Amino acid sequence: MVLDPENLYEVDSDVPDLTGAVLLHHLDGFMDAGSAGGALVEQLLSGYEHRVVARFDIDGLLDYRSRRPMMTFVTDHWEDYQAPELVVRLLHDSAGTPFLLMTGPEPDFRWEAFVDSVRHLVERWGVRLSVGFHGIPMGVPHTRPLGVTVHGTRPELTAGHDTFFNRVQVPGNVSGLLELRLGEAGLDAVGFAAHVPHYLTQSTYPAAALVLLDTIVQATDLVLPVAALAESSRRADAEIQRQVAESDQVAEVVAALERQYDAFVDANDKQNLLVDPENIPSADELGAELERFLAEQQRKPE
């Protein structure tokens, strides 16, 4: 039985002409080291007015028992239920250019039907480029420029970016499948994965979100604000430096990563910057000081 993909979503009746718009998308559930993609989403939603223009049928896509939504209990009754939602929002950049942002939990079920639904929306609205973004762990130090792995449906979309991998298999994810299927349909799509130092993957690392933002701006010509993320990145980097300076053990680990990074760059062997558990320090080797820092970062409000 073939299911109509349009049955998976509802569209606002008052959507303006979006021909030539960009669709940004970030779904929770797959890898997002340093909360790079999540932090960027928060920045965009807090920086611009937005409204929902499409809403997916989350009940048909989510396994609630694996990702239980939060409920609030007060004294003797249930007061609130934080219902999950998978939506597409309409925003306008600083120059007034409309763009779309799809966010929410990655579907547990019906991946192909969901991807087909998104493709229908892309074609319906005349979207010119779909862009996915997230963070991945890498064996790099925070003291060196962060790289970005770039992939797309046409070579022209990735021109000018360094290649870090030749061939690698990773667990499947909906954003990757969406890019693949859009390419098969002759539609333009790209994905950006910011490289996050492996010892900072569990904390929110604004520098990685900033790199994603810069890369998206270059690829889409959207005019997006960088000041807030730049300031958050500066504060986080200063705190990391303080923690490193206070621990000889952590400083030695960072120095070793710096030597490894510089050697790889000098040898033009960037593909080996991928985290290799056999050759780089484990989280335990980073020491208690850095672990405390990560915990503090998790507790700090944005």
Side-chain angles (χ1 to χ4, degrees), residues 10 37 44 60 67-68 74 139 147 197 205 217 250:
E10 295 180 347
L44 293 174
R67 287 182 283 179
R68 295 180 183 273
V74 178
Y205 190 46
V217 167
V250 174

Side-chain angles (χ1 to χ4, degrees), residues 34-36 39 141-143 146 195-197 200 203-210 236-237 240:
S35 298
H142 67 277
T143 53
L146 298 182
H195 300 169
V196 177
L200 295 173
S203 64
T204 297
Y205 190 46
L210 184 59
D237 286 346
I240 293 170

Side-chain angles (χ1 to χ4, degrees), residues 1 9 63 65 108 134 136 179 187 199 211 219 265 269 273:
M1 180 176 64
Y9 63 82
D63 179 0
R65 291 187 299 175
D108 294 304
H134 65 120
I136 58 174
E179 182 180 315
L187 299 167
Y199 50 88
V211 167
V265 170
D269 192 16
L273 293 178

Side-chain angles (χ1 to χ4, degrees), residues 19-149:
T19 302
V22 170
L23 169 66
L24 307 181
H25 58 90
H26 174 76
L27 302 178
D28 300 326
F30 184 55
M31 182 183 301
D32 189 26
S35 298
L40 179 51
V41 166
E42 290 183 10
Q43 180 62 38
L44 293 174
L45 294 181
S46 64
Y48 294 114
E49 293 185 358
H50 51 83
R51 67 182 178 93
V52 174
V53 293
R55 187 181 303 275
F56 289 90
D57 177 17
I58 196 69
D59 273 351
L61 299 172
L62 193 66
D63 179 0
Y64 286 88
R65 291 187 299 175
S66 67
R67 287 182 283 179
R68 295 180 183 273
M70 298 303 295
M71 299 181 66
T72 301
F73 181 82
V74 178
T75 309
D76 58 359
H77 66 281
W78 293 107
E79 182 177 84
D80 181 56
Y81 168 62
Q82 297 180 19
E85 58 179 12
L86 178 49
V87 300
V88 180
R89 292 182 172 88
L90 173 62
L91 301 85
H92 291 78
D93 72 359
S94 299
T97 302
F99 69 98
L100 299 161
L101 177 63
M102 182 171 68
T103 61
E106 180 185 50
D108 294 304
F109 309 113
R110 302 185 66 187
W111 280 18
E112 291 285 4
F114 171 74
V115 165
D116 202 23
S117 296
V118 177
R119 180 181 62 80
H120 274 240
L121 290 175
V122 166
E123 294 175 334
R124 174 176 182 168
W125 289 329
V127 169
R128 67 177 173 88
L129 181 67
S130 300
V131 183
F133 53 93
H134 65 120
I136 58 174
M138 300 288 277
V140 296
H142 67 277
T143 53
R144 296 294 185 267
L146 298 182
V148 180
T149 293

